[in-house]
Amino acid sequence: MFRELTSDEVRDIYNRYMKQDFPPQELKPLKNIERMRERGEYSCYGSFEDGRLKAYAFVAEPRGGGMVLLDYLAAVSDERSAGHGSRMLGFLREDCAGKGGILIEAEDPAFAADEADGEIRRRRIRFYDKNGSRDTGVRAVVFATEYVILHLGKELVRPEQILREYETIYRMMVPEPYYSRNIRISMEK
């Protein structure tokens, strides 16, 4: 069963799982997530079986419409490789069907620290590809982390539109002067 999470569940998942599942430099402060949720710009979902959390997804959603950004997706550690992440993506694809698709940040393998890190990054991209995403040709550096921007949706979208949508989402999430100092978005040449 998929459903939107309560505020208490978001706090619990953040503290219990997200701090372990994501590197500190990629994890937004909880207060920022809560503030965006209050403004209607961010949604948090859980996948549950028998009342137990199996996977979660946090999504940034501009109020004016348009594409959404899959900010975080993970299966809980003892439930990985059981299809929960793929099912969550399927749910999100349906939930976001009228929004132009889902933008996904995948750490760029070209900037991996070593071969093992590079393989982890390539495996994540294969996961998203297996679930129907496409490389958009847009690249981003967000607070010193390099990303390949993928798109999950029914239609092909031009890189220029992806870039505009991604920029709109980040300008919503990151105020100036932090945006100008820490966000770089470009198209592959």
Side-chain angles (χ1 to χ4, degrees):
M1 173 180 87
F2 301 98
R3 65 172 173 77
E4 193 154 357
L5 299 168
T6 67
S7 294
D8 287 341
E9 288 171 328
V10 169
R11 279 190 293 279
D12 183 55
I13 289 168
Y14 186 91
N15 289 311
R16 185 184 304 189
Y17 299 110
M18 292 177 74
K19 287 182 176 182
Q20 295 172 15
D21 294 339
F22 296 94
Q25 68 272 19
E26 292 180 27
L27 196 57
K28 286 176 184 54
L30 179 58
K31 67 180 181 180
N32 293 11
I33 292 170
E34 291 171 332
R35 188 175 330 117
M36 287 187 291
R37 285 185 77 215
E38 289 169 8
R39 292 190 314 232
E41 299 170 341
Y42 207 86
S43 297
C44 303
Y45 301 97
S47 170
F48 295 86
E49 288 180 9
D50 300 321
R52 293 185 58 228
L53 180 70
K54 301 296 181 177
Y56 60 89
F58 287 26
V59 179
E61 306 177 83
R63 278 182 279 174
M67 294 179 194
V68 302
L69 173 69
L70 178 60
D71 210 14
Y72 301 101
L73 170 70
V76 296
S77 58
D78 58 339
E79 297 290 344
R80 295 207 174 119
S81 299
H84 297 292
S86 292
R87 286 191 288 281
M88 178 62 85
L89 273 179
F91 163 76
L92 292 172
R93 176 185 267 179
E94 291 301 315
D95 192 60
C96 300
K99 299 179 181 177
I102 301 167
L103 298 175
I104 301 167
E105 298 169 320
E107 291 172 305
D108 192 335
F111 296 92
D114 54 36
E115 186 53 39
D117 182 39
E119 182 51 35
I120 289 168
R121 292 171 182 221
R122 286 186 292 277
R123 188 179 75 228
R124 287 181 185 142
I125 291 171
R126 285 192 302 269
F127 165 78
Y128 289 117
D129 287 349
K130 171 187 83 159
N131 283 283
S133 76
R134 292 180 207 91
D135 186 338
T136 65
V138 174
R139 301 296 181 260
V141 180
V142 178
F143 291 94
T145 301
E146 296 87 356
Y147 292 105
V148 171
I149 308 305
L150 309 173
H151 178 257
L152 181 61
K154 294 180 180 175
E155 298 179 19
L156 287 174
V157 182
R158 295 180 50 81
E160 296 83 4
Q161 182 181 352
I162 298 289
L163 190 143
R164 282 191 307 274
E165 298 267 357
Y166 187 76
E167 180 179 22
T168 296
I169 292 167
Y170 262 92
R171 287 197 177 276
M172 172 193 80
M173 291 194 302
V174 182
E176 287 294 353
Y178 303 105
Y179 180 92
S180 295
R181 291 183 197 151
N182 297 290
I183 312 296
R184 298 283 177 263
I185 307 167
S186 62
M187 287 188 283
E188 262 187 338
K189 296 183 169 110

